[in-house]
Protein backbone atom coordinates (compact mmCIF):
# COMPACT_ATOMS: atom_id res chain seq x y z
CA UNK A 1 0.00 0.00 0.00
CA UNK A 2 0.88 3.65 0.22
CA UNK A 3 2.79 3.37 3.49
CA UNK A 4 4.92 0.57 2.03
CA UNK A 5 5.69 2.59 -1.09
CA UNK A 6 6.86 5.56 0.98
CA UNK A 7 9.10 3.57 3.29
CA UNK A 8 10.60 1.53 0.43
CA UNK A 9 11.62 4.69 -1.42
CA UNK A 10 12.91 6.41 1.71
CA UNK A 11 14.90 3.38 2.91
CA UNK A 12 16.60 2.99 -0.48
CA UNK A 13 18.05 6.40 -1.43
CA UNK A 14 18.96 6.58 -5.08
CA UNK A 15 16.99 3.53 -6.10
CA UNK A 16 13.87 5.59 -6.90
CA UNK A 17 13.44 9.01 -8.46
CA UNK A 18 9.79 9.27 -7.47
CA UNK A 19 7.23 7.68 -5.23
CA UNK A 20 3.48 8.09 -4.99
CA UNK A 21 0.81 6.87 -2.66
CA UNK A 22 -2.94 6.85 -2.23
CA UNK A 23 -4.09 7.54 1.32
CA UNK A 24 -0.98 6.22 3.07
CA UNK A 25 -0.61 5.93 6.81
CA UNK A 26 2.20 8.46 6.96
CA UNK A 27 3.01 8.54 10.67
CA UNK A 28 2.09 5.14 12.09
CA UNK A 29 4.01 5.74 15.32
CA UNK A 30 1.49 8.47 16.14
CA UNK A 31 -1.86 7.00 15.08
CA UNK A 32 -3.90 4.34 16.90
CA UNK A 33 -3.89 1.79 14.05
CA UNK A 34 -0.14 2.13 13.51
CA UNK A 35 0.66 1.90 17.21
CA UNK A 36 -1.38 -1.30 17.51
CA UNK A 37 0.31 -2.82 14.44
CA UNK A 38 3.81 -1.78 15.46
CA UNK A 39 3.36 -3.09 18.97
CA UNK A 40 2.11 -6.40 17.58
CA UNK A 41 4.95 -6.78 15.07
CA UNK A 42 7.83 -4.86 16.68
CA UNK A 43 7.04 -4.90 20.39
CA UNK A 44 6.68 -1.92 22.73
CA UNK A 45 7.55 1.54 21.39
CA UNK A 46 11.23 1.66 20.55
CA UNK A 47 13.69 2.87 17.93
CA UNK A 48 12.59 -0.07 15.78
CA UNK A 49 9.36 1.79 15.06
CA UNK A 50 11.19 4.68 13.40
CA UNK A 51 12.56 2.34 10.72
CA UNK A 52 9.00 1.81 9.47
CA UNK A 53 7.55 5.30 9.90
CA UNK A 54 7.63 7.53 6.79
CA UNK A 55 7.73 10.73 8.85
CA UNK A 56 10.76 9.52 10.79
CA UNK A 57 12.46 8.24 7.63
CA UNK A 58 11.99 11.41 5.60
CA UNK A 59 13.37 13.47 8.49
CA UNK A 60 16.66 11.58 8.07
CA UNK A 61 16.58 11.25 4.27
CA UNK A 62 19.99 11.97 2.82
CA UNK A 63 19.72 10.78 -0.74
CA UNK A 64 19.32 12.23 -4.20
CA UNK A 65 16.17 14.15 -5.06
CA UNK A 66 12.98 12.15 -4.61
CA UNK A 67 9.70 13.52 -5.89
CA UNK A 68 6.70 12.53 -3.78
CA UNK A 69 3.02 12.62 -4.71
CA UNK A 70 0.29 11.76 -2.20
CA UNK A 71 -3.43 11.79 -2.85
CA UNK A 72 -5.95 11.56 -0.01
CA UNK A 73 -9.69 11.89 -0.07
CA UNK A 74 -11.22 14.36 2.35
CA UNK A 75 -14.16 11.96 2.84
CA UNK A 76 -11.86 9.07 3.77
CA UNK A 77 -12.87 7.79 7.21
CA UNK A 78 -9.27 6.85 8.01
CA UNK A 79 -8.25 10.44 7.28
CA UNK A 80 -11.12 11.83 9.36
CA UNK A 81 -10.15 9.55 12.27
CA UNK A 82 -6.57 10.91 12.20
CA UNK A 83 -5.09 7.58 11.10
CA UNK A 84 -3.29 8.78 7.94
CA UNK A 85 -1.64 12.02 9.13
CA UNK A 86 -0.37 13.20 5.72
CA UNK A 87 0.13 16.71 7.08
CA UNK A 88 2.80 15.34 9.44
CA UNK A 89 4.63 13.91 6.43
CA UNK A 90 4.40 17.19 4.51
CA UNK A 91 5.82 19.07 7.50
CA UNK A 92 8.70 16.59 7.81
CA UNK A 93 9.38 16.87 4.07
CA UNK A 94 9.56 20.65 4.34
CA UNK A 95 12.18 20.40 7.08
CA UNK A 96 14.16 17.81 5.10
CA UNK A 97 13.74 19.74 1.81
CA UNK A 98 12.15 16.75 0.11
CA UNK A 99 9.59 17.94 -2.47
CA UNK A 100 6.13 16.59 -1.84
CA UNK A 101 2.72 17.28 -3.34
CA UNK A 102 -0.21 16.43 -1.08
CA UNK A 103 -3.49 16.62 -2.94
CA UNK A 104 -6.66 16.45 -0.88
CA UNK A 105 -9.40 15.26 -3.20
CA UNK A 106 -12.86 16.59 -2.29
CA UNK A 107 -15.54 13.97 -1.74
CA UNK A 108 -13.32 10.91 -2.19
CA UNK A 109 -13.03 8.08 0.31
CA UNK A 110 -10.66 5.10 0.66
CA UNK A 111 -12.12 3.15 -2.27
CA UNK A 112 -11.01 1.60 -5.52
CA UNK A 113 -12.95 4.35 -7.33
CA UNK A 114 -10.68 6.92 -5.68
CA UNK A 115 -7.55 5.16 -6.93
CA UNK A 116 -8.99 4.61 -10.40
CA UNK A 117 -9.89 8.29 -10.62
CA UNK A 118 -6.32 9.53 -10.10
CA UNK A 119 -4.11 6.65 -11.20
CA UNK A 120 -3.25 8.32 -14.49
CA UNK A 121 -1.92 11.34 -12.59
CA UNK A 122 0.38 9.05 -10.62
CA UNK A 123 1.66 7.38 -13.76
CA UNK A 124 2.38 10.81 -15.26
CA UNK A 125 4.18 11.81 -12.04
CA UNK A 126 6.53 8.84 -12.36
CA UNK A 127 7.03 9.29 -16.10
CA UNK A 128 8.03 12.93 -15.58
CA UNK A 129 10.54 11.95 -12.90
CA UNK A 130 12.06 9.30 -15.15
CA UNK A 131 12.51 11.82 -17.98
CA UNK A 132 14.65 14.12 -15.82
Amino acid sequence: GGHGALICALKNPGLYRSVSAFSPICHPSECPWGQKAFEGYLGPRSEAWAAYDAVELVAKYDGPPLEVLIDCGDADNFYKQKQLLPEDFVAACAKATVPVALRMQAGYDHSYYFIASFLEDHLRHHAAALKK
Side-chain angles (χ1 to χ4, degrees):
H3 169 257
L6 293 175
I7 66 168
C8 281
L10 293 166
K11 287 178 128 184
N12 295 285
L15 192 57
Y16 302 94
R17 291 185 188 175
S18 63
V19 63
S20 68
F22 289 97
S23 304
I25 296 173
C26 293
H27 204 177
S29 296
E30 297 303 322
C31 74
W33 184 92
Q35 292 167 345
K36 182 178 179 180
F38 279 6
E39 192 165 306
Y41 287 107
L42 303 171
R45 184 181 286 269
S46 69
E47 286 299 313
W49 287 24
Y52 298 95
D53 187 309
V55 168
E56 300 296 330
L57 291 170
V58 80
K60 298 174 185 172
Y61 185 76
D62 189 28
L66 177 67
E67 297 188 30
V68 184
L69 171 62
I70 296 175
D71 273 315
C72 288
D74 69 0
D76 185 325
N77 284 332
F78 297 108
Y79 176 74
K80 290 181 190 179
Q81 295 168 3
K82 305 287 186 209
Q83 297 284 357
L84 304 180
L85 305 173
E87 295 86 359
D88 291 2
F89 186 75
V90 170
C93 284
K95 287 181 183 175
T97 64
V98 173
V100 60
L102 170 61
R103 303 185 320 175
M104 295 302 302
Q105 304 293 354
Y108 284 89
D109 60 12
H110 204 87
S111 68
Y112 170 78
Y113 179 71
F114 168 56
I115 294 169
S117 297
F118 299 101
L119 185 57
E120 184 176 341
D121 291 351
H122 285 244
L123 295 173
R124 290 184 190 285
H125 165 78
H126 295 292
L130 288 172
K131 290 178 181 177
K132 287 185 176 182

